[in-house]
Amino acid sequence: MSSARELLYILFGASLTIATALSLGILLFRLLKIRLPRTEALSLAFPLGAASLSTILFLLCATHLARKGVYIALAAVSVASVLLWRRQTEEPQPPSDLPKLWRWSFPIIFAAFTLVYFIWALAPEISPDGNAYHLAVVDHYNRAHGFERVPTDIYFNISQGVELLFLMAYAFGKHSSAALVHLAFLATLPGLVLGYARRFGFPLAGVAAAVMVYAAPVAGIDGSSAYNDVALATVLFATFYLLQIWDQQRGNRLLILVGILAGFAIAVKYTGFLAPIYALGFVGWKLRRLRPLLTITAMLALTAAPWLVKNWIWVQNPVAPFANRIFPNRWVHVSFEHDYQTGLRHYELKDRRQIPLEVTYRGTTLGGLLGPIFLLAPLALLGLRFQQGRRLLLASVIFALPYLDNIGTRFLIPPLPFLSLALALALARWPGVLFSVMIAHAILSWPSIVGIYCAPSAWHIDGIPVEAALRIESEDSYLRRLSPGYTTDRLIEDQVPKGESVFLFGATSEAYTTRRMLVRYLSAPNEVLGDILWTPIFAGFQPTVVLDFPFPARPLKKIRAVQTYAAGAEMWSISEFRIFAGHREIPRSPQWRLSARPNPWDVQLAFDNSPVTRWRTWETAVAGNYVAIDFGSDQTVDDVKIESSPEYTNSQIRLETLDANGSWIPLGVGPRQTNQTMRVDLRRAAAFELKARGVRYIVVNKEDANAEDLRLRPSAWGLALIGEAGYDQLYHLE
């Protein structure tokens, strides 16, 4: 494809999606006969229309009608309806009350940064998460023409409201087209900030705050990449904005729009759940009547509930991959959720007191920076003397609450518009100072300037890739230079047959391969695969400990091993659960009914005669955890042997059976513990288990110490090296 044609498709896909969303938003205003000044209506129309379009696209994906022809028809109907149905809903635009210097400074700054952001978004997508999962999910849906059930990847089972907008654009212009759609949210946000400030009487603060938000380095790179944080910020601020307009006018039809946006905030990202809480709390506090709250609830359910229902049906957890203790399922381990959230709360910071400097000008550890001007953020408290200042600061605090669970800088983007407005409002009594702060922030946020003071590893726009954006430099060349995961993707695409799965210990840029990637930590079944591969490598995983429970022979129908001690931070595992009669092991029978608590889905791994598989609690072991067997009929038994690994030693196991009254009672005395030596080839056994689970390809990174044995002894595993890409090596299980 020629570069000009490729650019045309990119721009067409993005423009089609943006125009459709904007048209649907305008139609909502006209349908509900809501009158606002033109600039306000247009700024609010895009996020409202995006919410409507995303919901329509959900229905298309659910019915596998997500196709180019349908997108074009949807766009044509939406745009034509706006052009043909010319109901007048816009109020006269009030004249600008800005001084000339302020009136011209904003469009100049806005245009300069927009040009940089546009070029960055137009260039091939190299963002970490955009390539790792946002667009990987989109690519799968695009090829399937709708939703595809992928329980082995948590990112397929979260809310994806913005990703569906990406999907429409991606169908025509691929990755860059999706990034341009996110850029539309970023470009909309300053207009919302300006409109809000003008409506409530502090336009100078509005201009300064719009620049603070738009020029912030982390907002710039996030908003010009295929992410969703800026989209969430735009939706949250639009929800807040509409609530303030409603508070002025008390028009009930505005609450319909509030509900649509509040629900869409959840559809964009789970952390948007605070939007419905804020909206319902604000309206309830103002009116103390039920009917308006029901209006909001009904509309937010329309845009949010489909995602929760989809997750419930496919992975038995409406808020996957979280709350797995409340919604236990076979797809995500409780231990993963705990480790994942713990990592996000701390990253690699030794002291949380480093956060202010990290998020303002260093950007070393937390992934991006807001800009040094935000070291002045405490001055926003001076805005408490104004009603609007109090409302903005309250909203800032509320929408910053998710930051407690993820201290990455981009999680400060949603509260950023509120904080910026509150800070600008506090400084507005000194226009000269406020103007200087605005200009200083714009200068310090310019990409070439940011690179002078931030850490080299800080996530920010680094350079202006004009040649890559215009495809003078090919996409392949650009990605091979700047996206290491891309070369791995191309290797996999070239060497792995269609329909095959690839196991990886760590994530890569999945957006550029069509093969199914099984990343170890992204699902419970994948973690089991990793456990199998690690068992031959780590002695602590191997079943060398035997607990022997002899007792006088007796007929039993049910028997179980029970954890009687809260094992601290440890799990409990069983590699094999063996039943004996007269020193002979009783063969496992299809009549046996196995159960376990927790993790009943893996209980069969304790009864499969494989030395490299094991049942694990996959959460901290507590008293009452068990593995049980119902023989179906009486079975004479005189001994039980439980083989387990020495990895977890803080366990106290008791053998129990059911008495005549249906109560569990101890069976025999405590176990005798012995050790056994592994006499089987664990590496070959692990390879056999992977092939039995449909995995014949493995990617090993040279710097992954956990996988060093696979890399250094491939023949012992039955592995054949079939390609290398950077530090990644691709192996085939023979």
Side-chain angles (χ1 to χ4, degrees), residues 88 168 213 255 403 448 616 733:
Q88 185 62 40
M168 183 172 174
V213 173
L255 296 181
Y403 188 73
S448 58
R616 298 172 72 177
L733 277 168

Side-chain angles (χ1 to χ4, degrees), residues 5 14 33 35 56 84 109 113 205 285 303 322 337 364 385 402 422 428 455 464 470 490 509 542 561 641 643 704 708:
R5 189 178 180 186
K33 300 179 182 179
R35 294 177 61 86
I56 293 170
L84 296 175
I109 295 171
F113 277 91
W285 174 58
T303 48
F322 304 106
E337 181 184 348
T364 309
R385 64 184 186 273
I464 304 176
L470 297 177
R490 302 322 301 163
S509 301
Q542 297 168 10
K641 288 183 171 65
E643 299 174 6
D704 189 349
E708 186 177 12

Side-chain angles (χ1 to χ4, degrees), residues 259-510:
I260 290 172
L261 282 176
F264 187 52
I266 297 176
V268 171
K269 203 165 189 171
Y270 285 150
T271 50
F273 79 95
L274 291 165
I277 294 175
Y278 181 85
L280 292 170
F282 185 84
V283 174
W285 174 58
K286 289 288 183 177
L287 292 184
R288 295 176 175 82
R289 294 205 307 268
L290 182 60
R291 186 172 179 179
L293 302 183
L294 292 177
T295 299
I296 295 174
T297 302
M299 299 314 298
L300 72 86
L302 187 66
T303 48
W307 295 103
L308 307 183
V309 172
K310 169 182 168 289
N311 288 347
W312 176 261
I313 293 173
W314 277 0
V315 292
Q316 296 77 59
N317 182 354
V319 291
F322 304 106
N324 294 289
R325 289 187 187 275
I326 301 173
F327 304 104
N329 61 89
R330 69 188 311 154
W331 306 113
V332 179
H333 291 138
V334 170
S335 57
F336 161 80
E337 181 184 348
H338 174 268
D339 293 344
Y340 182 68
Q341 292 184 316
T342 299
L344 294 178
R345 290 189 187 108
H346 300 284
Y347 281 61
E348 296 178 3
L349 283 185
K350 297 179 180 179
D351 189 337
R352 283 201 169 193
R353 288 175 294 183
Q354 297 175 320
I355 289 177
L357 298 183
E358 281 290 330
V359 301
T360 52
Y361 76 87
R362 286 179 183 166
T364 309
T365 306
L366 301 183
L369 60 157
L370 300 171
I373 289 299
F374 283 96
L375 288 170
L376 301 175
L379 294 179
L381 295 175
L382 297 175
L384 288 171
R385 64 184 186 273
F386 307 111
Q387 182 189 56
Q388 284 301 320
R390 292 190 290 272
R391 289 188 177 184
L392 288 165
L393 284 169
L394 176 62
S396 176
V397 170
I398 290 173
F399 294 126
L401 288 176
Y403 188 73
L404 299 174
D405 281 329
N406 189 329
I407 60 172
T409 306
R410 62 190 176 90
F411 279 79
L412 289 173
I413 295 176
L416 186 60
F418 306 99
L419 177 63
S420 298
L421 270 170
L423 175 59
L425 182 60
L427 298 176
R429 64 184 298 182
W430 306 289
V433 173
L434 182 59
F435 187 81
S436 299
V437 168
M438 178 183 73
I439 297 301
H441 177 64
I443 293 171
L444 290 171
S445 298
W446 191 253
S448 58
I449 303 298
V450 173
I452 295 174
Y453 63 83
C454 76
S457 60
W459 189 47
H460 68 288
I461 291 178
D462 186 11
I464 304 176
V466 177
E467 291 188 349
L470 297 177
R471 297 314 191 264
I472 297 171
E473 179 183 8
S474 71
E475 181 178 73
D476 184 76
S477 170
Y478 181 75
L479 291 170
R480 287 185 186 277
R481 282 197 302 111
L482 298 176
S483 179
Y486 171 78
T487 58
T488 302
D489 277 1
R490 302 322 301 163
L491 172 65
I492 291 170
E493 199 73 6
D494 292 340
Q495 298 295 328
V496 177
K498 291 182 179 180
E500 293 283 354
S501 299
V502 181
F503 178 83
L504 307 90
F505 287 98
T508 187
S509 301
E510 295 184 33

Side-chain angles (χ1 to χ4, degrees), residues 137 141 148-160 270 307 310-311 314-315 317-322 331-332 522:
V137 169
Y141 292 169
E148 184 179 19
R149 185 172 182 266
V150 184
T152 53
D153 188 332
I154 61 171
Y155 295 119
F156 278 80
N157 304 296
I158 55 178
S159 55
Q160 299 159 349
Y270 285 150
W307 295 103
K310 169 182 168 289
N311 288 347
W314 277 0
V315 292
N317 182 354
V319 291
F322 304 106
W331 306 113
V332 179
L522 291 185

Side-chain angles (χ1 to χ4, degrees), residues 576-589:
E576 289 298 325
F577 194 128
R578 302 187 184 279
I579 312 297
F580 292 85
H583 303 292
R584 288 173 36 182
E585 183 176 1
I586 300 173
R588 284 81 186 259
S589 167

Side-chain angles (χ1 to χ4, degrees), residues 117 186 213-224 230 369-370 413 416:
Y117 297 160
L186 178 59
V213 173
Y214 198 58
V218 71
I221 191 166
D222 187 289
S224 53
V230 169
L369 60 157
L370 300 171
I413 295 176
L416 186 60

Side-chain angles (χ1 to χ4, degrees), residues 651-673:
S651 297
Q652 295 181 11
I653 311 303
R654 181 172 66 211
L655 201 64
E656 295 182 342
T657 189
L658 278 179
D659 64 11
N661 298 320
S663 299
W664 289 100
I665 59 173
L667 184 61
V669 296
R672 299 194 302 261
Q673 179 174 322

